[in-house]
Amino acid sequence: MLLTKEQIGRFDADGYLFFPALFGKPEIQVLLDEVPTLYAQRRPENVREKTGDAVRTNFAAHLYSAPFARLARHPRMVAPIKQIFGEDVYMHQFKINGKMAIDGDVWQWHQDYGTWRRDDDMPEARAMNVAIFLDDVNEFNGPLMLIPGSHRLGVLEAGHDLTTTSYPLWTLDHGTIEKLVARGGIVAPKGPAGSMILFHSCLVHASTSNLSPWNRVSVYLSLCAVSNHIRRFKRPGYIAHRDFTPIECLPDDCLLKDYDVPLPWKDGTPAEQLRGLLEAA
Ligand code: SIN
Ligand code: MN
């Protein structure tokens, strides 16, 4: 799948593109069926909500789950990103965010590239965020909120929030959000399972808690231009990947057929990926 000139223009202006129902129900079911098994595992990649046992984020499933390893190589997701950057991309981060019914907690306002620059020493904002809905997303189950055009301001001042949620994040203060929203408003793309959002890594975003009885499981992938790989390995390797191998796409039917994929972490997380290390070579 390639983007039209009009879509690229809209991405430059707004910082995001929304593709409702890009993946079909049978394709998404293959992924959804795998989630309970992944969330039940007691591995460090499962970060749980601070109020209980519900999984907030599962990291790096593409390294130990075949369906997610295939999604990580899906041409409908990878091709438009390579088109925008004009080069190969690698997987910088891979998350399955639970936002489970009743228990799903907030994500404070932030920019992903803010974290990647400060923590991982990623040289430029040449990494793309992708959200793929595994459940229907509606106004009640904590849809992702975006501030259109905010990516154009580059990296904004932020504070390191270690307490609000169960995941440390560089978050923006309320005065900044007021100004950004006065200028760009807020959008919250909603749609059926299988929908995809591409959004710029400087686009300011957040989501509220999920008090509805409906799960909002979504996959968040961050693909970085290979030449723009991170220079610092301060965070564990399952959060900020250190393998900069270009992604090679599988055929378009890869979620429905059992194409062979490597699963290097199937028997556990390699010890050296569990901790932060010194500067990258
Ligand atoms: C994120 O910002 O990475 C996740 C936001 C969400 O799950 O709503
Ligand atoms: Mn984010």
Side-chain angles (χ1 to χ4, degrees):
M1 181 179 94
L2 287 180
L3 303 175
T4 63
K5 249 180 130 165
E6 189 269 331
Q7 286 173 314
I8 292 176
R10 239 176 331 117
F11 179 79
D12 287 342
D14 298 338
Y16 75 97
L17 290 170
F18 184 46
F19 304 88
L22 181 69
F23 295 91
K25 284 268 180 303
E27 293 178 306
I28 292 302
Q29 200 56 49
V30 173
L31 300 167
L32 208 47
D33 286 347
E34 183 83 350
V35 171
T37 314
L38 287 171
Y39 279 6
Q41 292 182 29
R42 296 284 146 185
R43 34 188 314 160
E45 289 91 343
N46 276 333
V47 176
R48 291 170 198 276
E49 297 288 7
K50 63 175 193 268
T51 46
D53 209 41
V55 171
R56 174 181 179 78
T57 294
N58 164 277
F59 284 101
H62 65 304
L63 299 177
Y64 47 91
S65 152
F68 286 99
R70 295 186 189 111
L71 179 68
R73 294 165 173 80
H74 205 293
R76 260 175 263 162
M77 184 268 299
V78 177
I81 301 174
K82 285 170 73 165
Q83 181 189 3
I84 284 183
F85 293 137
E87 66 169 295
D88 278 330
V89 291
Y90 76 94
M91 192 63 68
H92 170 61
Q93 191 171 77
F94 190 106
K95 317 197 284 271
I96 308 170
N97 283 356
K99 187 84 76 173
M100 302 309 275
I102 309 292
D103 288 321
D105 205 355
V106 304
W107 289 80
Q108 303 286 357
W109 288 106
H110 68 281
Q111 297 173 298
D112 280 23
Y113 180 64
T115 298
W116 303 338
R117 194 179 77 178
R118 292 176 181 101
D119 287 352
D120 306 329
D121 195 11
M122 183 186 284
E124 288 177 51
R126 284 171 55 74
M128 178 72 81
N129 271 327
V130 185
I132 297 175
F133 303 175
L134 300 195
D135 289 308
D136 296 348
V137 174
N138 57 43
E139 64 266 51
F140 306 111
N141 63 354
L144 182 68
M145 302 188 289
L146 311 166
I147 304 181
S150 55
H151 65 300
R152 292 180 157 265
L153 302 172
V155 177
L156 301 161
E157 215 176 292
H160 208 189
D161 179 358
L162 301 167
T163 53
T164 312
T165 64
S166 41
Y167 182 69
L169 209 57
W170 288 88
T171 57
L172 305 180
D173 67 60
H174 299 170
T176 305
I177 297 305
E178 259 175 48
K179 283 188 211 123
L180 293 176
V181 172
R183 185 178 165 274
I186 300 179
V187 296
K190 292 169 282 285
S195 301
M196 176 172 93
I197 309 171
L198 291 185
F199 61 107
H200 193 284
S201 54
C202 286
L203 196 70
V204 176
H205 59 283
S207 60
T208 61
S209 61
N210 180 8
L211 285 176
S212 83
W214 305 297
N215 292 341
R216 195 229 64 180
V217 179
S218 297
V219 189
Y220 283 81
L221 313 90
S222 306
L223 286 76
C224 183
V226 167
S227 67
N228 191 48
H229 68 79
I230 63 169
R231 280 17 183 198
R232 187 188 305 138
F233 298 164
K234 184 179 126 186
R235 300 196 292 169
Y238 62 86
I239 295 180
H241 293 300
R242 302 162 187 168
D243 177 355
F244 311 136
T245 311
I247 295 172
E248 278 187 39
C249 287
L250 290 169
D252 193 75
D253 59 359
C254 63
L255 290 174
L256 300 175
K257 288 197 184 152
D258 284 347
Y259 292 97
D260 255 353
V261 276
L263 298 174
W265 296 8
K266 194 156 184 24
D267 297 323
T269 320
E272 74 278 8
Q273 304 287 339
L274 292 175
R275 51 182 192 276
L277 298 172
L278 300 174
E279 304 288 312

